[in-house]
Amino acid sequence: MGDFPIDALWLAANAPAFALVAARTSGVCFTAPVLAAPGLDWRFRIVTALALGVWTAPLAAASVVAPTSAVGLGWLIVNEALVGGLMGMSASLVVAAARQAGELVSSQAGLSTSALFDPETGEELTALGHLYGLIALATFIGLDGPLVILDALLRSYEAIPVGRSALGRESADALFLQTAEALKLALRAAAPPAAALAIAGVALGWLGRLAPSVPLMALSLPIRAALGVVLVMASLAGLAACLDGAWLAWADGWN
């Protein structure tokens, strides 16, 4: 017995509690940004979830009360996986909002026809949508996002104790609130270049009416595309600051 580490002894004596903690970490690992990338094998995610469960189980043991019956334990494992999945999805909404902002800018710049299939989302994304998503992930990693998710995972046992249903009214309200915040983030991130491109489109239309002999309508698409690229490059710092605030707001929501 003396050869086993203390954590192994604790896990052996508290296997049901570890199963509940591992279920929540599994939900996070399968839905959180970076960890939910399609390039990562599902076996890597399972190993990561188990490793996180081993690390967080002793810290979260005070708030974990495992049931005695097998049926109750099975229901709680499914519920904890849903709670972890909702946590990861709420963080992934920031990345989805950034991609949607890129799509809005692409539509104003006339680049929406250059959409390509994105294996990560299973949908078609333009180059700007993919770029905005990568910037969101880079900002997430730059802010020590994986460590922030671990901290939020530990704090979640205070906000959502083990046994509270993941499909309750409070969870639904929180999910709808996160979705609304993601839509607001998409509009804020896309507003500067999209508004400038919309104004440029109106100006080109008026110039085309004032000077019918000038083929502005034929040139409007390349002009707007070039202007869109310039505006996007000029607004990258503001986009990073906007995404920085969104990640910090997400982290504060679990404090």
Side-chain angles (χ1 to χ4, degrees):
M1 294 293 291
D3 295 334
F4 290 93
I6 297 178
D7 288 343
L9 295 175
W10 186 93
L11 292 175
N14 299 272
F18 169 70
L20 295 176
V21 174
R24 185 173 294 197
T25 57
S26 299
V28 172
C29 289
F30 275 85
T31 56
V34 180
L35 292 175
L40 292 178
D41 190 74
W42 62 270
R43 288 167 292 189
F44 173 81
R45 303 181 196 180
I46 292 178
V47 171
T48 303
L50 292 177
L52 292 178
V54 171
W55 182 72
T56 58
L59 301 176
S63 58
V64 175
V65 179
T68 55
S69 65
V71 176
L73 178 62
W75 181 88
L76 281 183
I77 289 176
V78 174
N79 183 74
E80 290 302 295
L82 288 175
V83 171
L86 291 176
M87 283 186 60
M89 286 179 58
S90 66
S92 296
L93 283 175
V94 179
V95 181
R99 289 177 178 149
Q100 188 59 38
E103 294 297 307
L104 292 174
V105 177
S106 294
S107 63
Q108 290 296 326
L111 300 175
S112 56
T113 57
S114 62
L116 298 174
F117 179 77
D118 182 22
E120 184 173 349
T121 61
E123 300 177 354
E124 290 189 350
L125 275 180
T126 62
L128 285 181
H130 192 64
L131 174 63
Y132 276 44
L134 291 178
I135 293 175
L137 290 176
T139 307
F140 173 75
I141 296 175
L143 292 174
D144 293 331
L147 297 180
V148 173
I149 286 185
L150 288 179
D151 183 66
L153 183 63
L154 291 175
R155 295 180 184 275
S156 68
Y157 287 98
E158 300 177 1
I160 308 176
V162 174
R164 179 182 294 180
S165 176
L167 303 178
R169 181 174 180 179
E170 294 181 0
S171 299
D173 291 341
L175 184 59
F176 280 114
L177 179 60
Q178 291 290 338
T179 304
E181 291 296 326
L183 293 175
K184 289 166 58 178
L185 174 62
L187 293 176
R188 289 199 308 269
L197 287 169
I199 295 173
V202 173
L204 288 174
W206 277 105
L207 288 175
R209 290 177 62 89
L210 294 175
S213 61
V214 180
L216 287 177
M217 296 303 296
L219 297 175
S220 63
L221 184 58
I223 291 175
R224 292 176 63 181
L227 182 60
V229 173
V230 172
L231 290 173
V232 167
M233 296 300 293
S235 63
L236 287 182
L239 174 64
C242 183
L243 294 172
D244 191 336
W247 285 121
L248 292 177
W250 180 86
D252 291 340
W254 296 100
N255 291 334

